[in-house]
Amino acid sequence: MQHGTIHLVGAGPGDPDLLTLRAARLIAQARTIVHDGLVDPAILALAAPDARLVSVAKRRAHHTMAQEDINALLVTEALAGRDVVRLKGGDPFVFGRGGEELEAARAAGVPCEVTPGISAATGAAAAAGIALTHREASSILTLVAGQCKGLSDQDWTGLAGKGRTLVIYMGVKTAAQIAEKLMADGLAPDMPLAVVENACRPEMRVLRGPLAALPDMVETYAVVSPALIVIGEVTAREDTALAALALEAAR
């Protein structure tokens, strides 16, 4: 029997209009879609009426399905001769565990194709009007996970500061530790930052303030995932009046 193909597809930051043409085509043609919890319902609505939708949502301290089981599901579908779309928020290879699923497919000898998507970082920054790199403010961009094993033991020295932009994924629950860690590593308490919640969606909020205020900002405005923290001078280049309006709208 000929093996099916596993398609690792990036769903982008949320808005269906930001899907690639190839991603939209694969979703529409798929018979089986294994999707993350952060994939917007409007994107899932592009699937055929008879498509099988399997949610493998991951939330802090609760996974619908362990990663090893997701890998096994994808491989089982492909070995049975069925193509399967593995639909991920953002880009499959940016904090999406796409690399693990690709390795599982290769180990099982089944074809695996990757369709990249607009990453959460680039999508959120664009929606918030933040240039992640700027000739006058930042020539270095770093992406890190704010929720991972051994966070307190990691050395973030030099990842943020003058001429640099740091984007933190999955940092809402650990905002206090992140702020403390960065300031302990020498980052100025008044370093500007932005928190972008529900990027590229109608309910998007953009909160701005100094690094030292990050924990209070997250708590006061009840920020929830999905949200990204962008730290660096690029977040303060927006007109002051517009930034004040964005903060007021979030109240």
Side-chain angles (χ1 to χ4, degrees):
M1 176 185 295
Q2 184 176 357
H3 293 161
T5 298
I6 298 172
H7 293 277
L8 304 181
V9 179
D15 188 339
D17 285 346
L18 296 178
L19 287 169
T20 64
L21 293 175
R22 186 170 186 233
R25 175 174 56 80
L26 287 170
I27 293 168
Q29 295 175 348
R31 300 273 64 82
T32 300
I33 298 176
V34 178
H35 65 90
D36 287 345
L38 294 180
V39 174
D40 196 278
I43 292 176
L44 296 177
L46 300 176
D50 60 343
R52 176 188 174 209
L53 302 181
V54 181
S55 173
V56 291
K58 292 185 176 70
R59 300 291 184 186
R60 183 176 174 86
H62 176 73
H63 291 180
T64 301
M65 187 179 295
Q67 185 60 50
E68 293 76 11
D69 295 331
I70 296 173
N71 297 348
L73 171 63
L74 299 176
V75 168
T76 297
E77 290 289 312
L79 290 176
R82 293 184 290 268
D83 293 343
V84 56
V85 167
R86 174 69 173 102
L87 193 58
K88 297 172 170 292
D91 182 272
F93 284 173
V94 182
F95 299 119
R97 297 194 177 182
E100 297 174 45
E101 292 165 359
L102 176 61
E103 291 168 357
R106 287 173 172 169
V110 300
C112 184
E113 298 182 1
V114 181
T115 299
I118 294 176
S119 70
T122 54
I130 298 170
L132 293 176
T133 62
H134 193 291
R135 285 197 304 166
E136 298 178 7
S138 176
S139 60
I140 299 174
L141 172 62
T142 304
L143 310 179
V144 301
Q147 178 183 316
C148 60
K149 295 179 180 179
L151 174 62
S152 60
D153 296 327
Q154 292 183 12
D155 183 3
W156 286 9
T157 305
L159 296 187
K162 187 172 181 59
R164 298 170 180 263
T165 303
L166 177 63
V167 179
I168 303 173
Y169 284 64
M170 302 169 285
V172 172
K173 296 295 185 181
T174 55
Q177 296 101 298
I178 287 170
E180 181 180 355
K181 181 182 187 66
L182 288 172
M183 288 187 290
D185 285 344
L187 195 60
D190 62 353
M191 174 62 69
L193 61 78
V195 178
V196 186
E197 179 189 61
N198 287 310
C200 304
R201 303 183 187 196
E203 64 271 29
M204 183 180 83
R205 295 193 298 175
V206 182
L207 310 175
R208 298 172 189 266
L211 175 61
L214 175 61
D216 289 339
M217 186 187 307
V218 168
E219 181 178 357
T220 299
Y221 294 101
V223 177
V224 296
S225 296
L228 289 182
I229 303 169
V230 185
I231 300 174
E233 296 173 345
V234 293
T235 65
R237 295 190 65 83
E238 187 180 56
D239 183 85
T240 303
L242 290 179
L245 286 174
L247 186 59
E248 181 62 30
R251 292 183 183 277

